Structure formats: C-alpha cells, structure tokens
Amino acid sequence: TRREMGLDERCFNNLGMADLIDILSDSHPDVSFAIWNFLRIGNSGFNVKVYKINSGRRYKTAEKDIEELFRRLKYPSINVFEKSKSIERVVNQLILSIMTRGAAACEVVLTPSRRNVAYIAPVDPATIDFKYENGRYIPYQSGGTLKLDIPTFFYEGLDERVDDPYGRSPIISALNMVLFQLQVLNDIKAVVHNQGYPRFDITILEEVLLQRMPINIRSNEELKTQWMQERLNEIINLYNNLEPDDTLVHFDSVKVDMVGGKGSAGGGATIDPQKLMQVIDNLIMAGLKTLSTILGRRPTGNTESFAKLEIKLYLQGVKAIQEVVTTILERVLTLYLNIKGKQGIVEVEFNPVEIRTELEQEQFRQIQYQNAAFARDQGWIDQTEAANIAVGHDPVGDPDWEHLQPMKNK
C-alpha cells in the first residue's frame, strides 16, 4: 500500500524482519532488482532423472509418472476459481522464499484416497518454528500449536549453522545499509530543498528607515517598534507575493541579494552526496550478493573479462540457491514415487544459465561431443555413457562406423 511505501524511521521500529524484507523488496529499487534477477536467472527450468536402486539404470516408467504429475498440476479447475499450481510456479515461490527467508518449505497435499498427489503447497518459512524434542528438531506452525512432524512436509535452509535448523537469507545483511541509505536520502532531500535552489536574501537598512520615521514616533519606543514591524511585514508580503517573472522594484532602503544554489554568492552545496552514495551503494551491493554488472552499475574502467568474472561469481550464488530447491524437489518426487508404488533415486538438475553467444555455445558443444567420442574410442566409457555426456540421454542407435572410419583414419 502507499502507506507502507512511505518508509521512515518510525515504521522501521514497528516491523518484524520478515515484514521489513517484504516491504523493501517492493519499495526499494536495489532490493527489488536483486530479487528480480535471482528469480529470472535462478528459475531456468530443470530436468528430472530417475535411476533404479539396484542397477543404476534409468527408470523410464518412473520418469513418465513424474511428467504426468507435472502436466496434471497445470490443469485448471473446471468447478471453481483456482490459481495455477504448476511446478514452475512452485519453484519460483521456493526461490523467492530462499531469498527473503533463507529457507524453503512446502507440503505435499494428497488426494482424499491418499493414493496420489493433489498438489504441492509452498509454505512461508517465517511461520515455522523448530523445537528440539527427543534428539531431533520438530517443526511447528501457528505459534507452536500445529505440529508438522509428518512425512509430507519438507523444509530446507540455506547455509544452515551446525546447531541451528533455520536458514539464513542472503540479503539480510543489506538491510542496515538500506535503512541507512533511506535516512541519508531523506537528509539530502531536506538539504536540496533548503540549499539546492537560489532564494532572495533581502536586507532592510534600518538606518534608512529610522531617517524616514515620523518625528512624533521616534520618541516613543513602543510606537517605534510597532512602526518598524509594520514596515517589515509590508516588505515580506511584497516579496512573498511576487510571481517568478515579476521585476524587482524597491526603494534604496531594501537591499536584494541571492542565497543558496550552485554558484551563488551566499550558498551552494555543503556536501558532496555523490561520494557518500557511492560508498553506500557498494555496501548494499555486497549485502544483496549482487555485483555491479548485474545491477547495471558497472564502472567505466572495468573490462569485459572482469564483468564475466563477476557474472560467474554471481551464478555460483544462484547455483547455491538452486541446490536447496533441488533437494526439496528430489525428496518430494521420491515421496510421490513411493505413493505410486515405485522406488527409485530421483535427481533434479537445473538447466545451466548461458552467458555465451549462440556461436560460442555451438563451439563448446562440438568440443564436448569430440571429447565424449574420444573417451569412448579409448575404451574409457561405453556408448551409453558417452551419449549421456554428449546429449544427456541414452543412444537411440548404433554409430555409423562406415562414415566415421575415414574421419578417424584422417
């Protein structure tokens, strides 16, 4: 709401950590942009593979069951209004939870017959409290009244401490600097309003007024003070009612000068806000785990190689968040297969985020194909493993050795 967007020191004192992050993620440009980038880059799509427990081979039937679940979650309700429950939306909410809460949680809601999964419901980790009971942590909700010690509830934290089940939000360290920046911006606003624009500096020559004062008033101090105040009010009202394009016409008892504004004789900027804001911006970027290239504040002196290095470091942070999501999805999908009467090892992997051009991608892909074929020809791996390295699935046919032999001899 507009009331929440008008942030000041008073509302800071009345907000909890979770509420403060939620409001800043909507109202503060840097926090909002950092979360936006993590969501857009982090939710890059994913692949699911299932392997049989005994042989380690791909479990195609189980993979088809998971694909059927994902398709069914996209189906809209034909009876009532219902928001989308697609797996893509769930993943997006899990990534957002990790950014703002430092953890992700969800519950697998079963059908009334308990033989299938109805949908996956994300849960706000801020509503979860852990209690240490009988040698393990038990999650609770609703102020500790609702016990969630059930196999269909999942909770994973980011960078958990050894003795703490709660995760840590990657942007929480930026809050102090964000609040400080808002206070500085309010101070700069007041300074600019007071000193940033030129104003009239009017000096009333008291000696000239005294010479023009009637003789019968000069000897009476009370009347003298009243007369001087009346002349002062007349001059104040005169200049307060001036339009911007009015010409200044006055007696020699009034001296007009200018004060404030850049280049004026009596004022100007008393501080350099640019240097101060640059220091604050650098601290905010560090707290948001988002480097200058991502936020669009790349200094002119930085090279392209330095920008690529920043992006690679940033992608490592995105990967850490994705690993928390994949852990939850693997456990959720394993439970789903168990409900369907199947056992398998589920592996979820996000699609890599590409920062290379299409030409560079094709060149690297060609090198990958050649390396996989070379390892196969040397007897280090078989055809199936080489195919999975090269294209990510089992071979669909035998190699064309007649075509490859001349190239191999060459």
Side-chain angles (χ1 to χ4, degrees):
T1 63
R2 292 184 60 186
R3 176 179 57 83
E4 292 174 335
M5 300 288 277
L7 299 178
D8 55 23
E9 292 81 356
R10 291 174 297 177
C11 72
F12 294 157
N13 297 328
N14 299 325
L15 291 176
M17 188 66 68
D19 294 333
L20 181 59
I21 292 179
D22 290 342
I23 293 177
L24 289 176
S25 64
D26 293 329
S27 62
H28 193 275
D30 288 341
V31 179
S32 176
F33 194 33
I35 295 177
W36 171 275
N37 287 331
F38 271 102
L39 290 176
R40 303 287 88 78
I41 297 177
N43 195 2
S44 58
F46 60 91
N47 297 313
V48 179
K49 297 180 181 179
V50 183
Y51 298 91
K52 295 182 179 180
I53 296 179
N54 297 328
S55 63
R57 295 285 184 176
R58 293 281 292 275
Y59 200 166
K60 296 294 186 179
T61 306
E63 291 179 357
K64 290 182 180 179
D65 288 339
I66 294 177
E67 292 176 0
E68 187 274 334
L69 171 66
F70 291 165
R71 286 195 299 268
R72 181 162 51 83
L73 291 177
K74 293 183 178 180
Y75 293 161
S77 174
I78 61 175
N79 298 319
V80 295
F81 169 78
E82 184 179 68
K83 298 197 69 174
S84 172
K85 293 183 174 65
S86 67
I87 191 63
E88 291 80 11
R89 184 172 180 269
V90 172
V91 170
N92 203 71
Q93 291 177 327
L94 294 178
I95 296 176
L96 179 61
S97 295
I98 297 172
M99 286 296 301
T100 57
R101 303 291 189 259
C106 68
E107 181 180 359
V108 176
V109 181
L110 304 180
T111 58
S113 63
R114 298 178 181 267
R115 295 182 179 180
N116 208 334
V117 173
Y119 60 91
I120 302 171
V123 179
D124 187 357
T127 64
I128 303 300
D129 296 316
F130 284 94
K131 296 181 181 180
Y132 193 73
E133 300 176 355
N134 299 324
R136 63 190 184 97
Y137 290 102
I138 306 297
Y140 284 84
Q141 200 177 29
S142 301
T145 59
L146 178 60
K147 190 174 183 179
L148 294 176
D149 190 16
I150 52 179
T152 56
F153 177 75
F154 302 91
Y155 181 103
E156 293 292 334
L158 175 66
D159 296 337
E160 299 174 350
R161 293 184 176 88
V162 176
D163 58 345
D164 189 353
Y166 303 97
R168 291 183 290 173
S169 170
I171 66 173
I172 197 171
S173 60
L175 294 185
N176 283 335
M177 291 311 305
V178 168
L179 301 182
F180 178 67
Q181 183 196 54
L182 294 176
Q183 295 172 359
V184 171
L185 289 175
N186 289 332
D187 294 340
I188 293 177
K189 176 183 177 181
V191 171
V192 170
H193 182 75
N194 188 40
Q195 299 291 336
Y197 305 96
R199 294 169 296 152
F200 289 128
D201 181 17
I202 301 175
T203 302
I204 301 176
L205 304 180
E206 186 177 1
E207 182 179 358
V208 178
L209 287 181
L210 290 175
Q211 294 176 359
R212 297 178 178 178
M213 184 182 295
I215 300 177
N216 60 332
I217 297 179
R218 295 180 184 177
S219 58
N220 190 323
E221 290 297 329
E222 183 178 353
L223 295 177
K224 177 181 176 181
T225 302
Q226 181 181 357
W227 188 87
M228 294 288 290
Q229 187 63 41
E230 290 175 354
R231 303 291 79 74
L232 177 63
N233 292 334
E234 289 177 359
I235 296 173
I236 291 176
N237 293 332
L238 173 65
Y239 285 96
N240 282 340
N241 295 326
L242 283 177
E243 295 295 334
D245 57 349
D246 286 347
T247 303
L248 296 180
V249 181
H250 55 84
F251 294 103
D252 58 358
S253 59
V254 177
K255 179 182 177 182
V256 180
D257 203 345
M258 300 298 292
V259 65
K262 183 178 181 180
S264 62
T270 58
I271 61 173
D272 185 0
Q274 183 176 1
K275 294 182 179 179
L276 176 61
M277 295 306 297
Q278 184 177 1
V279 174
I280 296 176
D281 287 343
N282 291 335
L283 293 174
I284 289 178
M285 285 188 292
L288 293 176
K289 312 300 184 294
T290 306
L291 302 177
S292 58
T293 303
I294 306 299
L295 286 178
R297 295 178 183 172
R298 178 185 170 190
T300 56
N302 285 359
T303 62
E304 183 178 355
S305 300
F306 184 81
K308 287 186 176 180
L309 178 60
E310 280 194 339
I311 294 176
K312 288 183 178 180
L313 292 174
Y314 178 79
L315 293 181
Q316 289 298 316
V318 174
K319 184 179 179 181
I321 294 177
Q322 290 177 338
E323 288 176 352
V324 179
V325 178
T326 56
T327 301
I328 287 185
L329 290 180
E330 289 172 354
R331 299 178 63 190
V332 167
L333 296 178
T334 300
L335 174 64
Y336 169 70
L337 292 180
N338 293 339
I339 295 175
K340 299 288 290 184
K342 295 181 175 66
Q343 290 186 343
I345 300 175
V346 180
E347 292 185 1
V348 178
E349 182 179 5
F350 276 88
N351 298 328
V353 180
E354 287 292 347
I355 62 175
R356 300 168 296 185
T357 63
E358 293 183 1
L359 177 60
E360 291 176 332
Q361 293 180 38
E362 291 299 328
Q363 292 173 343
F364 280 96
R365 191 175 293 113
Q366 181 65 27
I367 295 174
Q368 183 181 7
Y369 294 162
Q370 294 175 354
N371 291 339
F374 179 78
R376 178 203 61 197
D377 296 342
Q378 294 297 320
W380 301 337
I381 58 177
D382 58 15
Q383 176 69 3
T384 301
E385 189 174 356
N388 279 274
I389 294 175
V391 294
H393 57 76
D394 294 344
V396 296
D398 296 329
D400 186 2
W401 296 111
E402 295 181 358
H403 174 72
L404 294 175
Q405 192 64 32
M407 298 178 60
K408 183 178 181 180
N409 295 335
K410 183 179 179 181

